[in-house]
């Protein structure tokens, strides 16, 4: 899974890949981060068409994504990233992104 | 720095204003403030106009240039200021520094938004969601209501707060709005009705969320040295602060902490040589009622985790320890995006002048606002006092 995060080479701060300079020390060189494995649900809300969650991987990288199914959600539950088409966003354009599926116990 | 005074205010009715377009709102409210300040025959040094979605919802650009022509202020310097729902606060901040620096003596600030004519479902929410991070947030279907929902759930679970405590703020604000002739809603609601309203972004329900409104608000500001020429009760802006936070909400350590508000309100308090305990009345940005809770904490009134309880216990009522949103707040007064930051200060001016009628906070001498941009990544705080 290509990372949504990267680590500052100077101070080790973890940031989203879109940042050009480290917010902690202003350095502009980073290590890329690959995400593997499952994640846990940190926060969520349920709107009409989907559940939106904030998840965290073991290496600390976070991401937003749609969680399915949208029932029986609990903060701390294990989820696994699933790559595919999502289209229930405002623009209605189909995008490829990660959603997060319940991991069956 | 020169001292800065507010010598006149204007405020339209907020709501669904079918016979007014964006320019009408800006013109009406600007002329009202000019009349209120007795500066109808004066040339201004600068005009700042706040409107977040003039282009997107109204296909109008160059609003500041258009306004000053229409109201006879040519050839004044004029700027359109945009900072999301904090456009009003930003416009006031710019006017403040223009006067404080000595560059200007007389400045008009007007904020307005025309939104209710948009009938496509979700179109306004989508336009407002343009403030989210495109790849990290928007493409996944994120919107401001969804972040407020996440914030509310996080807050409720962490601090063991029942949903009723948060929704009671909507009830309070509607009760306050009843006495605000400019409010979008002048109608009380019961806690039962609010708690049984449809879920919008779980756990937030319909009545926890502000309406979409049309409206405008304006201030005439000047160098305090000349204020008494125009006005018997000038109100001073003695503190201004602004701060930013991460664009992506999940990059914040704790999304229930508005770091930008802590920083910008500290700046305002420091500049004014005041502390939270000195504040008599506040206008906070309750686009979602959970925001009034966390803002009341991060602006220094209550400890983190105690804002909802304080509201439930009545501490933020007009007769309480620290009255919050006597105007009805964004929930009842309404939320024409570019107007809100200006309307918050207009309300405080009325409060400090003793002109707030049935919603008057007794003995109000000092007030503070929180004008929230993005989802908390750009916040402005303005502190006002009687001269």
């Amino acid at each position: 899974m290509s990372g949504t995060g990267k680590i500052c080479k100077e101070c080790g701060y973890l940031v989203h890949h879109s940042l050009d300079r480290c917010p902690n020390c202003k350095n502009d060189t980073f290590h890329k981060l690959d995400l593997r494995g499952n994640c846990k649900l940190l926060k969520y809300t349920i709107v009409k068409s989907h559940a939106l969650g904030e998840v965290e991987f073991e290496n600390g990288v976070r991401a937003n994504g749609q969680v399915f199914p949208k029932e029986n959600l609990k903060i701390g539950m294990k989820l696994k990233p699933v790559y595919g088409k999502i289209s229930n966003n405002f623009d209605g354009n189909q995008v490829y992104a990660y959603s997060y599926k319940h991991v069956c116990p | 720095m020169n001292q800065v005074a507010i010598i006149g205010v204007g405020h339209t009715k907020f709501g669904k204003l079918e016979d007014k377009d964006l320019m009408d709102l800006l013109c009406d409210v600007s002329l009202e403030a000019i009349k209120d300040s007795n500066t109808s025959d004066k040339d201004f040094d600068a005009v700042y106009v706040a409107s977040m979605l003039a282009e997107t919802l109204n296909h109008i650009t160059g609003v500041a240039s258009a306004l000053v022509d229409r109201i006879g202020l040519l050839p004044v310097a004029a700027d359109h200021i945009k900072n999301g729902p904090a456009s009003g606060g930003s416009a006031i901040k710019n006017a403040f520094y223009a006067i404080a620096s000595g560059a200007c003596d007389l400045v008009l600030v007007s904020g307005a938004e025309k939104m209710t004519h948009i009938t496509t479902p979700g179109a306004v929410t989508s336009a407002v969601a343009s403030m989210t991070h495109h790849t990290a947030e928007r493409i996944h279907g994120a919107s401001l209501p969804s972040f407020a929902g996440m914030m509310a759930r996080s807050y409720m679970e962490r601090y063991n707060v029942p949903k009723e405590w948060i929704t009671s703020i909507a009830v309070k604000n509607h009760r306050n709005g009843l006495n605000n002739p400019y409010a979008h809603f002048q109608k009380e609601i019961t806690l039962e009705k609010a708690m049984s309203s449809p879920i919008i972004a779980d756990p937030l329900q319909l009545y926890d969320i502000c309406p979409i409104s049309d409206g405008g608000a304006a201030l005439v500001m000047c160098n305090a040295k000349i204020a008494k020429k125009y006005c018997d009760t000038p109100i001073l802006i003695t503190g201004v602060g602004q701060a930013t936070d991460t664009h992506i909400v999940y990059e914040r350590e704790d999304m229930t902490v508005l770091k930008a508000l802590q920083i910008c309100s500290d700046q305002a308090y420091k500049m004014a040589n005041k502390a939270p305990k000195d504040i008599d009345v506040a206008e906070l940005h309750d686009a979602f009622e959970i925001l009034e809770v966390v803002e009341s904490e991060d602006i220094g009134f209550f400890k983190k985790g105690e804002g909802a309880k304080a509201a439930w216990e009545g501490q933020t009522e007009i007769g309480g320890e620290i009255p919050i949103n006597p105007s009805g707040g964004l929930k009842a007064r309404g939320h024409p995006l570019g107007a809100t930051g200006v309307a918050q200060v207009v309300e405080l001016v009325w409060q400090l002048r003793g002109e707030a009628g049935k919603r008057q906070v007794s003995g109000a001498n000092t007030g503070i606002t929180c004008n929230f941009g993005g989802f908390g990544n750009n916040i402005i705080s303005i502190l006002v006092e009687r001269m």
Side-chain angles (χ1 to χ4, degrees):
Chain A
M1 175 179 179
S2 74
T4 58
K6 57 189 184 186
I7 294 186
C8 173
K9 280 188 181 170
E10 197 62 44
C11 71
Y13 212 69
L14 174 60
V15 296
H16 189 260
H17 68 77
S18 65
L19 268 65
D20 292 295
R21 293 209 299 172
C22 173
N24 191 44
C25 72
K26 298 186 175 53
N27 174 50
D28 62 358
T29 53
F30 299 89
H31 295 295
K32 273 197 185 160
L33 261 185
D34 272 333
L35 299 179
R36 274 162 228 273
N38 294 334
C39 54
K40 72 175 178 200
L41 183 64
L42 289 186
K43 301 185 186 77
Y44 70 92
T45 187
I46 304 168
V47 296
K48 205 158 150 197
S49 62
H50 61 272
L52 181 73
E54 180 190 307
V55 303
E56 188 177 73
F57 289 82
E58 266 176 37
N59 57 8
V61 173
R62 294 183 180 178
N64 277 319
Q66 296 181 11
V67 183
F68 64 97
K70 62 182 204 177
E71 292 82 24
N72 301 317
L73 298 181
K74 225 180 151 190
I75 288 179
M77 70 191 289
K78 243 203 205 145
L79 300 170
K80 79 171 186 217
V82 174
Y83 194 65
K85 266 191 267 189
I86 54 170
S87 59
N88 40 358
N89 54 38
F90 284 109
D91 304 316
N93 302 322
Q94 284 187 339
V95 291
Y96 280 88
Y98 284 93
S99 304
Y100 300 92
K101 190 175 174 186
H102 300 208
V103 169
C104 300
Chain B
M1 293 207 294
N2 291 324
Q3 271 205 321
V4 180
I6 300 168
I7 54 171
V9 299
H11 196 309
T12 70
K13 174 95 171 67
F14 283 7
K16 190 169 167 62
L17 308 175
E18 279 170 343
D19 59 346
K20 298 283 179 186
D21 66 22
L22 179 64
M23 292 312 303
D24 292 333
L25 295 169
L26 283 169
C27 292
D28 289 353
V29 86
S30 301
L31 291 174
E32 196 188 317
I34 287 171
K35 190 157 176 231
D36 189 52
S37 60
N38 299 305
T39 55
S40 296
D41 58 338
K42 292 277 165 271
D43 291 327
F44 280 68
D45 300 314
V47 174
Y48 294 94
V49 176
S51 180
M52 177 189 168
L53 296 175
E55 295 89 338
T56 312
L57 302 185
N58 300 277
H59 306 293
I60 301 176
T61 54
V63 278
S65 319
L67 172 66
V68 300
D69 186 8
R70 204 164 132 173
I71 61 173
L73 288 185
L74 298 180
V76 71
D79 282 307
H80 180 187
I81 302 291
K82 302 185 80 177
N83 189 7
S87 298
S90 273
I92 296 173
K93 183 208 79 171
N94 275 274
F96 173 85
Y97 281 112
I99 296 170
S101 66
C104 297
D105 277 334
L106 187 64
V107 177
L108 169 70
V109 173
S110 293
E113 213 71 54
K114 174 74 186 172
M115 311 174 73
T116 66
H117 58 297
I118 302 295
T119 51
T120 313
V124 171
T125 309
S126 172
V128 172
S130 62
M131 295 187 290
T132 61
H133 190 284
H134 190 84
T135 49
E137 298 175 331
R138 189 182 176 90
I139 63 166
H140 302 284
S143 65
L144 267 64
S146 61
F147 289 132
M150 280 188 185
M151 182 190 262
R153 176 160 301 287
S154 291
Y155 186 94
M156 284 163 58
E157 294 202 10
R158 174 149 354 141
Y159 298 110
N160 205 25
V161 161
K163 173 75 176 19
E164 283 81 356
W165 291 7
I166 298 171
T167 303
S168 73
I169 293 173
V171 177
K172 165 186 72 85
N173 287 344
H174 269 259
R175 188 164 49 243
N176 292 347
L178 201 57
N179 294 316
N180 184 352
Y182 304 98
H184 187 148
F185 296 125
Q186 292 167 36
K187 198 176 157 182
E188 285 199 71
I189 57 172
T190 61
L191 186 63
E192 278 112 357
K193 181 168 186 176
M195 288 297 294
S196 57
S197 62
I199 299 233
I200 303 297
D202 182 84
L204 291 181
Q205 295 168 270
L206 183 67
Y207 280 78
D208 298 313
I209 300 176
C210 71
I212 287 168
S213 322
D214 304 329
L219 303 174
V220 171
M221 293 163 56
C222 72
N223 185 325
K225 284 197 191 95
I226 61 172
K228 286 262 162 91
K229 274 206 279 182
Y230 301 102
C231 171
D232 292 329
T233 44
I235 302 299
L236 297 178
I237 297 180
T238 52
V240 173
Q242 181 177 24
T244 48
D245 200 343
T246 67
H247 187 185
I248 299 173
V249 175
Y250 68 62
E251 298 245 285
R252 293 174 209 168
E253 240 175 86
D254 180 352
M255 89 179 291
T256 66
V257 173
L258 295 173
K259 255 199 198 155
L261 177 56
Q262 291 177 342
I263 295 168
C264 76
S265 60
D266 272 346
Q267 290 170 353
Y269 289 127
K270 241 187 207 100
M271 194 189 287
N273 197 23
K274 291 263 181 276
K277 64 172 173 53
D278 300 317
I279 303 298
D280 300 313
V281 56
E283 284 282 316
L284 303 185
H285 193 108
D286 62 319
F288 310 94
E289 299 307 61
I290 183 63
L291 288 183
E292 185 170 317
V293 172
V294 306
E295 288 169 20
S296 71
E297 297 165 350
D298 295 318
I299 207 166
F301 299 149
F302 308 113
K303 287 201 184 106
K304 186 47 66 181
E306 295 187 6
K309 185 158 185 262
W312 180 252
E313 290 172 347
Q315 292 187 49
T316 61
E317 296 274 5
I318 285 174
E321 314 263 310
I322 172 62
I324 294 177
N325 288 338
S327 63
L330 277 62
K331 178 66 192 75
R333 178 186 55 221
H335 187 26
L337 300 160
T340 283
V342 185
Q344 290 175 323
V345 176
V346 172
E347 175 67 16
L348 292 186
V349 168
W350 282 328
Q351 290 285 343
L352 270 52
R353 280 180 183 174
E355 293 174 2
K358 287 198 187 134
R359 64 189 193 281
Q360 180 68 50
V361 170
S362 174
N365 281 318
T366 309
I368 195 165
T369 69
C370 164
N371 193 198
F372 181 93
F375 193 78
N377 55 323
N378 195 322
I379 304 184
I380 298 187
S381 191
I382 294 171
L383 202 154
V384 290
E385 302 179 50
R386 282 177 67 93
M387 196 165 188

